[in-house]
Amino acid sequence: MQAAALKDKKRGASATKEGDNDPDYENITLAFRNRDPLKSDHSPRSPAPAQPRPLSDSAQIPPWLHKAIMILYVLLAFTFAFCIILSVLLLVKNSEMSQELLDLRGELWNVSNSMRVCQEEQQKGWNLVWERVKEARESILQVDRKTLGEVEKLKTLPTEIAGIKENVKKILDKVEQLSQRSMPSK
């Protein structure tokens, strides 16, 4: 069958007219025609594809549509530029804030360093105060011990004075006795 069709192609247009009466040619054509309806049994045959209309037909497009589309493009461009400008401003502000935060971090570090030094000095001062308090307490305890020793001595002093008075009285008595002996009697 394909050989017959190939023959028909080689013969050209005159061959097609001659092949109209040929039964093999008819079968090929009918078989080809019958294939399409078998494939699309479930779907209706679609009409030929629509030809696109030329755009030069200005009756279909309103005249203001081109201006409106151009205005929308311009607005889109302005919006895009505005977004770019805002992004740049945001980056600049972010950079400034970052620098300010770095400066603040440095200042906080300096303050914390100063506070640490002050705390160390304050601790040294308190340690010195505690040492002085301990020294004063020790000296007070020493004075207190000495004073207690002296108080103890003062407590024994009246008995010693009484003993001294007795001794003095005895001495005076003996001196009187001696002086009475040494004095002539009259």
Side-chain angles (χ1 to χ4, degrees):
M1 281 191 210
Q2 290 179 354
L6 190 59
K7 257 193 218 177
D8 288 342
K9 276 188 179 180
K10 287 181 180 176
R11 286 189 214 159
S14 64
T16 24
K17 289 186 181 179
E18 290 175 6
D20 286 341
N21 295 332
D22 188 13
D24 288 337
Y25 182 75
E26 287 291 322
N27 287 338
I28 292 173
T29 317
L30 289 176
F32 183 75
R33 284 183 187 164
N34 289 339
R35 282 189 196 165
D36 285 339
L38 289 176
K39 285 184 183 175
S40 60
D41 281 342
H42 300 294
S43 63
R45 194 166 236 224
S46 61
Q51 296 290 329
R53 293 184 182 173
L55 291 177
S56 62
D57 189 13
S58 63
Q60 297 293 333
I61 300 173
W64 53 267
L65 187 61
H66 292 296
K67 287 182 182 179
I69 290 174
M70 188 58 73
I71 288 172
L72 287 175
Y73 277 131
V74 168
L75 285 175
L76 182 66
F78 279 133
T79 305
F80 186 68
F82 183 69
C83 287
I84 289 174
I85 290 170
L86 282 179
S87 297
V88 168
L89 288 175
L90 187 70
L91 287 174
V92 167
K93 279 294 181 184
N94 188 15
S95 174
E96 289 175 3
M97 287 182 67
S98 176
Q99 187 61 38
E100 288 176 6
L101 286 175
L102 286 175
D103 293 343
L104 183 63
R105 180 178 154 199
E107 289 177 14
L108 286 174
W109 187 80
N110 288 339
V111 167
S112 67
N113 221 8
S114 305
M115 289 298 293
R116 188 170 17 93
V117 168
C118 287
Q119 285 177 345
E120 289 173 359
E121 290 177 2
Q122 185 180 15
Q123 189 64 33
K124 287 178 184 176
W126 280 112
N127 289 342
L128 184 64
V129 166
W130 279 111
E131 287 177 19
R132 297 280 170 90
V133 166
K134 286 179 184 177
E135 289 174 4
R137 180 193 257 168
E138 288 297 319
S139 65
I140 288 172
L141 286 175
Q142 287 176 357
V143 168
D144 193 31
R145 287 183 198 129
K146 286 180 184 177
T147 306
L148 284 176
E150 295 297 320
V151 167
E152 290 297 322
K153 286 180 183 177
L154 285 176
K155 284 181 182 177
T156 59
L157 191 65
T159 53
E160 289 177 9
I161 290 176
I164 292 173
K165 279 185 182 179
E166 281 183 29
N167 286 337
V168 168
K169 208 180 204 183
K170 286 180 186 176
I171 292 174
L172 283 177
D173 284 342
K174 283 187 182 182
V175 169
E176 246 180 61
Q177 284 175 4
L178 283 177
S179 67
Q180 280 180 3
R181 277 192 207 166
S182 51
M183 270 188 107
S185 45
K186 291 190 194 178

